[in-house]
Amino acid sequence: MDDILLEAKNICYTYEGENTPALDHLSLQIPRGKKIACMGSNGSGKSTFFLCCNGIHKPDSGTICYDGKPLDYSRRGLLELRSKVGIVFQDPDNQLFSASVFQEISFGLLSMGMPENEARKKVNEIMELLGITPFAHKPVHALSGGQKKIVAIADILVMQPQLIIFDEPAASLDPLHTDLVHKIIDLAAAQGITILMATHDVDYAFEWADQILLFHEGKILSTGTPQEIFSNEKILQTANLKPPTILSILKHPEILEHYRKELRL
Ligand code: ADP
Ligand code: MG
């Protein structure tokens, strides 16, 4: 089906030395051009699945298809895959390694063989768009956590991938940087880039996502629109998820009354 960008078919993956599989016959489909939230408890397999999506991990069994074709794990195949699928890691320190911000963002383009002038133009454009031009020549290690996260996103965006995976992008960010990161993600989505995001923020996922993939013990417990997932109490209980605030209030309007009195509104 050409509206499916990525499909996992029955994939299993166990880390070396572990007894329990991190991914246990996981099957799912990522539709093209959508905003998809991956939710589920810590250890449910989200990050492991992400690492399978760009070939960092190869499933022990099962298949991942990108654009209808099984992943090609040759050096060339992986290079091509990684030009289409970018991952913004949860911890930017696992992603950033160049001396300066400018060098960091240029690295991918130059290693793809882009002429220096062209790469410089693209890097300048993306730094301008994300508001990081003032740090262009700062060493990456001297940036704050929030600034590092924006540089890590610039790193991926500059490559113009078709799919960007954000692994808990707001983890350990202050509210200002969280908003900024969310705005950048929306900008990417508006350009038609398919977005896959791991998040524990039910309020955000409820409002943002086109589709939710609910991970549980290395497989998909359920998938559907935010409305479908969050109105199913049984699923929420199994996955240890709370309903979004707005749904709790709609279900229990007495909460509103309580706060109205308490705050004298
Ligand atoms: P999530 O991102 O949903 O929190 P993970 O994919 O990180 O889940 O973890 C899935 C399972 O794999 C967990 O049981 C976790 O302990 C295990 N795991 C993750 N990374 C490693 C690793 N590098 N070595 C061994 N086990 C790991
Ligand atoms: Mg994770």
Side-chain angles (χ1 to χ4, degrees):
M1 272 199 300
D2 66 357
D3 59 339
I4 300 299
L5 184 60
L6 186 143
E7 179 168 19
K9 297 180 196 169
N10 224 12
I11 61 171
C12 295
Y13 184 83
T14 305
Y15 285 95
E16 226 178 286
E18 297 293 321
N19 296 319
T20 329
L23 300 178
D24 186 8
H25 299 92
L26 173 91
S27 293
L28 57 79
Q29 294 183 326
I30 308 294
R32 200 184 298 273
K34 299 286 183 198
K35 298 184 288 186
I36 295 146
C38 297
M39 308 195 78
S41 343
N42 291 328
S44 57
K46 303 178 298 292
S47 298
T48 306
F49 167 64
F50 293 162
L51 296 174
C52 289
C53 288
N54 81 344
I56 293 176
H57 290 332
K58 184 177 179 190
D60 304 323
S61 60
T63 318
I64 299 185
C65 290
Y66 187 83
D67 243 340
K69 288 187 226 82
L71 295 195
D72 166 2
Y73 292 92
S74 69
R75 202 180 128 74
R76 228 179 112 185
L78 287 177
L79 270 178
E80 197 188 322
L81 177 69
R82 287 171 194 165
S83 71
K84 293 178 183 158
V85 179
I87 301 187
V88 177
F89 290 93
Q90 184 171 351
D91 181 355
D93 288 330
N94 289 339
Q95 189 181 328
L96 308 174
F97 57 89
S98 300
S100 77
V101 168
F102 184 88
Q103 283 172 333
E104 176 61 47
I105 306 172
S106 315
F107 179 81
L109 296 176
L110 294 176
S111 53
M112 263 180 27
M114 185 178 282
E116 231 170 278
N117 274 350
E118 206 180 317
R120 186 180 308 123
K121 191 165 164 271
K122 279 194 181 290
V123 173
N124 282 336
E125 274 170 15
I126 205 84
M127 288 198 307
E128 203 55 41
L129 183 72
L130 305 194
I132 50 177
T133 309
F135 332 127
H137 298 291
K138 250 193 160 181
V140 169
H141 67 80
L143 302 178
S144 73
Q147 292 166 339
K148 279 184 188 170
K149 180 60 86 177
I150 308 288
V151 173
I153 297 176
D155 241 8
I156 302 297
L157 265 186
V158 79
M159 304 295 287
Q160 296 182 298
Q162 299 169 342
L163 168 65
I164 306 186
I165 299 172
F166 292 91
D167 199 351
E168 301 193 32
S172 69
L173 294 188
D174 62 30
L176 195 81
H177 282 91
T178 302
D179 273 358
L180 187 57
V181 163
H182 287 165
K183 281 198 181 112
I184 297 170
I185 293 173
D186 286 344
L187 208 72
Q191 289 173 7
I193 299 174
T194 306
I195 311 279
L196 200 56
M197 180 202 294
T199 178
H200 293 292
D201 186 336
V202 289
D203 291 320
Y204 179 71
F206 182 65
E207 158 201 337
W208 174 82
D210 296 315
Q211 185 186 338
I212 294 193
L213 285 167
L214 197 48
F215 282 68
H216 185 64
E217 297 177 350
K219 48 175 102 52
I220 298 297
L221 176 67
S222 188
T223 182
T225 62
Q227 289 79 1
E228 285 163 351
I229 296 293
F230 288 116
S231 58
N232 188 326
E233 284 187 18
K234 203 167 154 223
I235 285 174
L236 295 187
Q237 241 176 23
T238 314
N240 273 325
L241 270 185
K242 282 190 176 157
T245 316
I246 183 81
L247 287 192
S248 303
I249 291 177
L250 284 173
K251 268 197 160 164
H252 301 281
E254 69 275 9
I255 302 176
L256 262 189
E257 214 32 59
H258 168 80
Y259 279 108
R260 230 182 236 136
K261 276 194 192 133
E262 194 92 335
L263 301 167
R264 296 169 199 214
L265 292 173

